[in-house]
Amino acid sequence: MAEYLRRQHKAAFGRPHDVAEPHITADGAHVVVTGSVLDDLAGAPRTALYTVNEGRLTAVTTATGSARWGRFSPDGATLAFLSDRAEPDVFQLYLLDIGSLGEAVAAPTVPGSVEYAHWSPDGRQILLGVAGLGADQAAAQGAMSNSPIDDLPTWHPLIEEGTRSAWRSLWLYTVGSGDLSRLSPERMNCWEAGWGGPSTVMAVTSDAPDEDAWYRSVLTSIDTTGGESRELVRSQFQLGLPAGSPDGRYASVVEAVCSDRGLLAGDLVIIDLASKTSTRVNTAHTDVTCTQWIDVDRLGYLGQRHLDSVAGIVEAGTGALTELVSTELSCGGLYPEGAFTSDGRVLVAQSAYHLPPQVALLGGGTGDVLATTHHAGSDHLSSLAGSAEAVTWSAPDGQRIEGILCRPAGDGPFPLVVNIHGGPVWAFRNAWSMKSLWVPLLVSMGYAVLNPNPRGSGGRGREFACQVIGDMGGADADDILSGIDALAERGVADRSRIGLIGASYGGFMSSWLVTLDQRFAAAVPISPITDWYSQAFTSNIGGWGNTFLRSDPEEPGTMAHARSPVLRASKARTPCLNVAGANDQCTPPGQAREFHQALLARGVESVLAIYPQEGHGVRAYPAIVDLLTRIVSWFTTHMPPDAKTVDGHPNIDSDIGSCAREGVRPSRGIDGHHPEEPRMATADGQHIRRRGRR
């Protein structure tokens, strides 16, 4: 497994293998992106800034640490960015004159870590969004707090008193004078913000700093000269992407039903601040995921429509819409994102299942590829990954459901693994490797992988997303089961070899489906929710779960009981590999442990793997090597593909596979040393503890 991953990444060691956060000057002359970089298969990727020069990605600075969020000043002369070069994982503001040689200059340090920075329309100030150290992180960020490493003695207890999250605040940096001042008042938590004219900031705010408070946030305007604030919009749904026109006449915000902060796809709303009237923009059924005011009248947006990425421009005064791009390719990260030029083109990070991430400038009747992350390792991965195609089927109630099927070459039926996304309000698109560690790997071994977008997914409008509220594990589960039936009827899936894998909500669904249907040969729930009662009182978003279930855990017999996999474990027969991160605050590791022990009590084969340094999902090496080894071993043991080895496919050593099945660590890691081992519980209940500090 280590060799498979090394062949995939080695050619790009020290270079970006993925790009995000694209930004471009108004005239299109300068481009900057954030690249994800592996220097070896060790730890998590670092991030670095890259410009595009003669078709190549060129590093902006050579300093140590990570850098991200490059933003050009309105006149294009200065690049502002964030870096943790002074203290690991604590990001501060730096400025670089792009017209001359030299190193970036640090702005004054703010108390916390800067998450984003926005230039004012006149270029005189920079708005900083600052998370205090100890602030909650969203599930997409790993759901661990950004607390610094403490030097307390090992015997010292963990202390919680009141809210366990630090606050998020807004600060203003004045470029000419170098002055730094706090803008937001005390006891106002500012999740995200943007300029709303030369002297106003639009912010999504709450009266508490914990992650659950985000779901009840409001849109607030703050005067930068006097600090006065007033509430502009309150909604029963979630609000995000606050901004305003450069002249301060209009404000914009996206209103959406959300399951995770940072995964926002919904309706675009423009507010005329003088008349205090709001207009919901008709974006031709596109769920908006990114916005940018191009000038005083034009608002650029990107979003997802079904499986497509879409970009367009709306006239604020009239609502007239110009659609620039509609493509089957992925444009952005978890959802579409990009940046606009003054002449109406849009810069994106573009990819597809067989197209490594590239920087492209779209619109104006052309699509220019400016630079690519393509390398020999991506060619190797593409040669193994099979094909990807959009598929549709009908749910039992007649609803049309969409997904992406990744499959090996040749005729079926294939053993099928259903890869279920998190959220539930998120959506798969045709993206490089499906943005997955395991999808191309499983395809390379002879498995077909279905990536479904059941009801509750983004890209289908609010009504479709809302169908999951109050019914998690209901009709959305039927959507997935009917997709399996459809692929079996089409000769793609072998009914005797069906497996499940998924993380977060996908982990819940992987646990839940094995209690509804005994057709599954194997399942791998990752970072799951399995007990809605304990989830309500141990998660940092327990209130969200109660809302989406429409359930009160104090009332007996509610959906908290009816939709908890642990309370239906007697119905399960499927062997389950349950995976969790020890530091996950969103779906705490106790969720995986509860299901593991419930299965064992019912005589069902189960293994529990808790990774000691991980949060929501497994994100760092060599834990990734270990996880993929265990996933492959689990599926090949319980639903083996037709051919154990295929020329050019990853050669999973039988000793490593045996170790994973027995719940112990492989004998060698990436470099011949033992990897950091998860705490394991095997099917017979025996425990194996990792060595080292508790």
Side-chain angles (χ1 to χ4, degrees), residues 345-399:
R345 293 173 293 164
V346 59
L347 180 75
V348 298
Q350 192 176 61
S351 77
Y353 188 64
H354 277 294
L355 178 66
Q358 60 187 24
V359 182
L361 188 58
L362 309 178
T366 63
D368 297 327
V369 176
L370 306 182
T372 178
T373 64
H374 173 267
H375 56 86
S378 53
D379 283 340
H380 175 66
L381 182 61
S382 290
S383 72
L384 303 175
S387 61
E389 61 181 300
V391 292
T392 62
W393 62 92
S394 294
D397 64 356
Q399 180 81 258

Side-chain angles (χ1 to χ4, degrees), residues 127-139:
L127 173 69
L128 304 178
V130 181
L133 299 184
D136 278 356
Q137 300 295 300

Side-chain angles (χ1 to χ4, degrees), residues 586-649:
C586 175
T587 56
Q591 293 295 310
R593 180 178 294 281
E594 285 188 44
F595 195 55
H596 166 66
Q597 295 186 173
L599 292 173
L600 292 181
R602 298 293 182 173
V604 179
E605 183 180 356
S606 179
V607 168
L608 173 68
I610 298 179
Y611 288 86
Q613 296 179 332
E614 299 291 333
H616 197 63
V618 176
R619 299 164 185 261
Y621 292 93
I624 287 173
V625 181
D626 185 271
L627 173 65
L628 293 181
T629 302
R630 296 181 191 281
I631 290 171
V632 165
S633 175
W634 199 253
F635 285 123
T636 56
T637 297
H638 296 289
M639 43 181 289
D642 293 331
K644 292 184 178 179
T645 59
V646 178
D647 185 40
H649 288 186

Side-chain angles (χ1 to χ4, degrees), residues 435-464:
K435 293 193 174 295
S436 169
L437 296 169
W438 49 78
V439 169
L441 172 61
L442 290 171
V443 173
S444 75
M445 301 187 71
Y447 296 93
V449 180
L450 174 63
N451 307 275
N453 285 338
R455 68 195 70 198
S457 299
R460 299 281 296 273
R462 180 184 293 175
E463 181 180 352
F464 188 80

